[in-house]
mmCIF file with all atom_site columns, all heavy atoms in Angstrom:
data_model
loop_
_atom_site.group_PDB
_atom_site.id
_atom_site.type_symbol
_atom_site.label_atom_id
_atom_site.label_alt_id
_atom_site.label_comp_id
_atom_site.label_asym_id
_atom_site.label_entity_id
_atom_site.label_seq_id
_atom_site.pdbx_PDB_ins_code
_atom_site.Cartn_x
_atom_site.Cartn_y
_atom_site.Cartn_z
_atom_site.occupancy
_atom_site.B_iso_or_equiv
_atom_site.pdbx_formal_charge
_atom_site.auth_seq_id
_atom_site.auth_comp_id
_atom_site.auth_asym_id
_atom_site.auth_atom_id
_atom_site.pdbx_PDB_model_num
ATOM 1  N N   . GLN B 1 11 ? 30.114 19.314 -20.776 1.00 97.00 ? 73 GLN B N   1
ATOM 2  C CA  . GLN B 1 11 ? 29.782 18.012 -20.204 1.00 97.00 ? 73 GLN B CA  1
ATOM 3  C C   . GLN B 1 11 ? 29.728 18.050 -18.674 1.00 97.00 ? 73 GLN B C   1
ATOM 4  O O   . GLN B 1 11 ? 29.028 17.246 -18.068 1.00 97.00 ? 73 GLN B O   1
ATOM 5  C CB  . GLN B 1 11 ? 30.778 16.956 -20.666 1.00 97.00 ? 73 GLN B CB  1
ATOM 6  C CG  . GLN B 1 11 ? 30.574 16.537 -22.111 1.00 97.00 ? 73 GLN B CG  1
ATOM 7  C CD  . GLN B 1 11 ? 31.652 15.557 -22.543 1.00 97.00 ? 73 GLN B CD  1
ATOM 8  O OE1 . GLN B 1 11 ? 32.803 15.945 -22.733 1.00 97.00 ? 73 GLN B OE1 1
ATOM 9  N NE2 . GLN B 1 11 ? 31.260 14.297 -22.658 1.00 97.00 ? 73 GLN B NE2 1
ATOM 10 N N   . LEU B 1 12 ? 30.435 18.978 -18.050 1.00 97.00 ? 74 LEU B N   1
ATOM 11 C CA  . LEU B 1 12 ? 30.385 19.066 -16.598 1.00 97.00 ? 74 LEU B CA  1
ATOM 12 C C   . LEU B 1 12 ? 28.990 19.453 -16.119 1.00 97.00 ? 74 LEU B C   1
ATOM 13 O O   . LEU B 1 12 ? 28.509 18.940 -15.099 1.00 97.00 ? 74 LEU B O   1
ATOM 14 C CB  . LEU B 1 12 ? 31.434 20.041 -16.071 1.00 97.00 ? 74 LEU B CB  1
ATOM 15 C CG  . LEU B 1 12 ? 32.885 19.620 -16.327 1.00 97.00 ? 74 LEU B CG  1
ATOM 16 C CD1 . LEU B 1 12 ? 33.843 20.667 -15.784 1.00 97.00 ? 74 LEU B CD1 1
ATOM 17 C CD2 . LEU B 1 12 ? 33.170 18.258 -15.737 1.00 97.00 ? 74 LEU B CD2 1
ATOM 18 N N   . GLN B 1 13 ? 28.324 20.317 -16.853 1.00 96.00 ? 75 GLN B N   1
ATOM 19 C CA  . GLN B 1 13 ? 26.938 20.655 -16.519 1.00 96.00 ? 75 GLN B CA  1
ATOM 20 C C   . GLN B 1 13 ? 26.025 19.458 -16.769 1.00 96.00 ? 75 GLN B C   1
ATOM 21 O O   . GLN B 1 13 ? 25.093 19.220 -15.992 1.00 96.00 ? 75 GLN B O   1
ATOM 22 C CB  . GLN B 1 13 ? 26.473 21.874 -17.304 1.00 96.00 ? 75 GLN B CB  1
ATOM 23 C CG  . GLN B 1 13 ? 26.939 23.177 -16.706 1.00 96.00 ? 75 GLN B CG  1
ATOM 24 C CD  . GLN B 1 13 ? 26.685 23.271 -15.215 1.00 96.00 ? 75 GLN B CD  1
ATOM 25 O OE1 . GLN B 1 13 ? 27.605 23.247 -14.410 1.00 96.00 ? 75 GLN B OE1 1
ATOM 26 N NE2 . GLN B 1 13 ? 25.441 23.354 -14.793 1.00 96.00 ? 75 GLN B NE2 1
ATOM 27 N N   . GLU B 1 14 ? 26.282 18.703 -17.836 1.00 97.00 ? 76 GLU B N   1
ATOM 28 C CA  . GLU B 1 14 ? 25.506 17.486 -18.106 1.00 97.00 ? 76 GLU B CA  1
ATOM 29 C C   . GLU B 1 14 ? 25.674 16.493 -16.959 1.00 97.00 ? 76 GLU B C   1
ATOM 30 O O   . GLU B 1 14 ? 24.699 15.871 -16.524 1.00 97.00 ? 76 GLU B O   1
ATOM 31 C CB  . GLU B 1 14 ? 25.953 16.837 -19.421 1.00 97.00 ? 76 GLU B CB  1
ATOM 32 C CG  . GLU B 1 14 ? 25.624 17.629 -20.656 1.00 97.00 ? 76 GLU B CG  1
ATOM 33 C CD  . GLU B 1 14 ? 26.271 17.049 -21.914 1.00 97.00 ? 76 GLU B CD  1
ATOM 34 O OE1 . GLU B 1 14 ? 26.584 15.838 -21.933 1.00 97.00 ? 76 GLU B OE1 1
ATOM 35 O OE2 . GLU B 1 14 ? 26.451 17.813 -22.868 1.00 97.00 ? 76 GLU B OE2 1
ATOM 36 N N   . ILE B 1 15 ? 26.908 16.348 -16.477 1.00 97.00 ? 77 ILE B N   1
ATOM 37 C CA  . ILE B 1 15 ? 27.183 15.428 -15.373 1.00 97.00 ? 77 ILE B CA  1
ATOM 38 C C   . ILE B 1 15 ? 26.413 15.867 -14.134 1.00 97.00 ? 77 ILE B C   1
ATOM 39 O O   . ILE B 1 15 ? 25.777 15.041 -13.467 1.00 97.00 ? 77 ILE B O   1
ATOM 40 C CB  . ILE B 1 15 ? 28.703 15.346 -15.109 1.00 97.00 ? 77 ILE B CB  1
ATOM 41 C CG1 . ILE B 1 15 ? 29.390 14.597 -16.251 1.00 97.00 ? 77 ILE B CG1 1
ATOM 42 C CG2 . ILE B 1 15 ? 28.991 14.688 -13.762 1.00 97.00 ? 77 ILE B CG2 1
ATOM 43 C CD1 . ILE B 1 15 ? 30.907 14.688 -16.252 1.00 97.00 ? 77 ILE B CD1 1
ATOM 44 N N   . ARG B 1 16 ? 26.451 17.138 -13.839 1.00 96.00 ? 78 ARG B N   1
ATOM 45 C CA  . ARG B 1 16 ? 25.687 17.657 -12.677 1.00 96.00 ? 78 ARG B CA  1
ATOM 46 C C   . ARG B 1 16 ? 24.199 17.342 -12.829 1.00 96.00 ? 78 ARG B C   1
ATOM 47 O O   . ARG B 1 16 ? 23.544 16.918 -11.886 1.00 96.00 ? 78 ARG B O   1
ATOM 48 C CB  . ARG B 1 16 ? 25.869 19.161 -12.563 1.00 96.00 ? 78 ARG B CB  1
ATOM 49 C CG  . ARG B 1 16 ? 26.983 19.555 -11.655 1.00 96.00 ? 78 ARG B CG  1
ATOM 50 C CD  . ARG B 1 16 ? 26.532 20.748 -10.813 1.00 96.00 ? 78 ARG B CD  1
ATOM 51 N NE  . ARG B 1 16 ? 27.328 20.764 -9.611  1.00 96.00 ? 78 ARG B NE  1
ATOM 52 C CZ  . ARG B 1 16 ? 28.219 21.689 -9.321  1.00 96.00 ? 78 ARG B CZ  1
ATOM 53 N NH1 . ARG B 1 16 ? 28.427 22.689 -10.144 1.00 96.00 ? 78 ARG B NH1 1
ATOM 54 N NH2 . ARG B 1 16 ? 28.887 21.636 -8.202  1.00 96.00 ? 78 ARG B NH2 1
ATOM 55 N N   . SER B 1 17 ? 23.690 17.563 -14.023 1.00 97.00 ? 79 SER B N   1
ATOM 56 C CA  . SER B 1 17 ? 22.277 17.306 -14.285 1.00 97.00 ? 79 SER B CA  1
ATOM 57 C C   . SER B 1 17 ? 21.956 15.807 -14.194 1.00 97.00 ? 79 SER B C   1
ATOM 58 O O   . SER B 1 17 ? 20.985 15.415 -13.561 1.00 97.00 ? 79 SER B O   1
ATOM 59 C CB  . SER B 1 17 ? 21.919 17.850 -15.672 1.00 97.00 ? 79 SER B CB  1
ATOM 60 O OG  . SER B 1 17 ? 20.587 17.587 -15.967 1.00 97.00 ? 79 SER B OG  1
ATOM 61 N N   . GLU B 1 18 ? 22.773 14.985 -14.828 1.00 97.00 ? 80 GLU B N   1
ATOM 62 C CA  . GLU B 1 18 ? 22.560 13.526 -14.787 1.00 97.00 ? 80 GLU B CA  1
ATOM 63 C C   . GLU B 1 18 ? 22.621 12.994 -13.364 1.00 97.00 ? 80 GLU B C   1
ATOM 64 O O   . GLU B 1 18 ? 21.900 12.068 -13.006 1.00 97.00 ? 80 GLU B O   1
ATOM 65 C CB  . GLU B 1 18 ? 23.623 12.810 -15.627 1.00 97.00 ? 80 GLU B CB  1
ATOM 66 C CG  . GLU B 1 18 ? 23.488 13.035 -17.102 1.00 97.00 ? 80 GLU B CG  1
ATOM 67 C CD  . GLU B 1 18 ? 24.705 12.531 -17.887 1.00 97.00 ? 80 GLU B CD  1
ATOM 68 O OE1 . GLU B 1 18 ? 25.672 12.046 -17.264 1.00 97.00 ? 80 GLU B OE1 1
ATOM 69 O OE2 . GLU B 1 18 ? 24.661 12.627 -19.118 1.00 97.00 ? 80 GLU B OE2 1
ATOM 70 N N   . SER B 1 19 ? 23.489 13.590 -12.546 1.00 97.00 ? 81 SER B N   1
ATOM 71 C CA  . SER B 1 19 ? 23.670 13.103 -11.181 1.00 97.00 ? 81 SER B CA  1
ATOM 72 C C   . SER B 1 19 ? 22.452 13.396 -10.294 1.00 97.00 ? 81 SER B C   1
ATOM 73 O O   . SER B 1 19 ? 22.366 12.866 -9.188  1.00 97.00 ? 81 SER B O   1
ATOM 74 C CB  . SER B 1 19 ? 24.934 13.702 -10.555 1.00 97.00 ? 81 SER B CB  1
ATOM 75 O OG  . SER B 1 19 ? 24.726 15.037 -10.149 1.00 97.00 ? 81 SER B OG  1
ATOM 76 N N   . GLN B 1 20 ? 21.532 14.197 -10.773 1.00 97.00 ? 82 GLN B N   1
ATOM 77 C CA  . GLN B 1 20 ? 20.296 14.425 -10.018 1.00 97.00 ? 82 GLN B CA  1
ATOM 78 C C   . GLN B 1 20 ? 19.418 13.169 -10.043 1.00 97.00 ? 82 GLN B C   1
ATOM 79 O O   . GLN B 1 20 ? 18.630 12.940 -9.125  1.00 97.00 ? 82 GLN B O   1
ATOM 80 C CB  . GLN B 1 20 ? 19.514 15.623 -10.593 1.00 97.00 ? 82 GLN B CB  1
ATOM 81 C CG  . GLN B 1 20 ? 20.251 16.933 -10.524 1.00 97.00 ? 82 GLN B CG  1
ATOM 82 C CD  . GLN B 1 20 ? 20.646 17.336 -9.116  1.00 97.00 ? 82 GLN B CD  1
ATOM 83 O OE1 . GLN B 1 20 ? 19.884 17.164 -8.159  1.00 97.00 ? 82 GLN B OE1 1
ATOM 84 N NE2 . GLN B 1 20 ? 21.856 17.869 -8.972  1.00 97.00 ? 82 GLN B NE2 1
ATOM 85 N N   . ARG B 1 21 ? 19.572 12.346 -11.097 1.00 95.00 ? 83 ARG B N   1
ATOM 86 C CA  . ARG B 1 21 ? 18.784 11.119 -11.242 1.00 95.00 ? 83 ARG B CA  1
ATOM 87 C C   . ARG B 1 21 ? 19.502 9.907  -10.666 1.00 95.00 ? 83 ARG B C   1
ATOM 88 O O   . ARG B 1 21 ? 18.877 9.059  -10.042 1.00 95.00 ? 83 ARG B O   1
ATOM 89 C CB  . ARG B 1 21 ? 18.449 10.882 -12.710 1.00 95.00 ? 83 ARG B CB  1
ATOM 90 C CG  . ARG B 1 21 ? 17.533 11.952 -13.297 1.00 95.00 ? 83 ARG B CG  1
ATOM 91 C CD  . ARG B 1 21 ? 17.170 11.686 -14.739 1.00 95.00 ? 83 ARG B CD  1
ATOM 92 N NE  . ARG B 1 21 ? 18.298 11.722 -15.660 1.00 95.00 ? 83 ARG B NE  1
ATOM 93 C CZ  . ARG B 1 21 ? 18.895 12.821 -16.124 1.00 95.00 ? 83 ARG B CZ  1
ATOM 94 N NH1 . ARG B 1 21 ? 18.476 14.004 -15.728 1.00 95.00 ? 83 ARG B NH1 1
ATOM 95 N NH2 . ARG B 1 21 ? 19.890 12.747 -16.970 1.00 95.00 ? 83 ARG B NH2 1
#
Side-chain angles (χ1 to χ4, degrees):
Q73 286 176 288
L74 296 179
Q75 280 311 110
E76 292 171 24
I77 289 168
R78 267 222 156 112
S79 178
E80 291 169 358
S81 77
Q82 298 302 320
R83 295 182 296 283

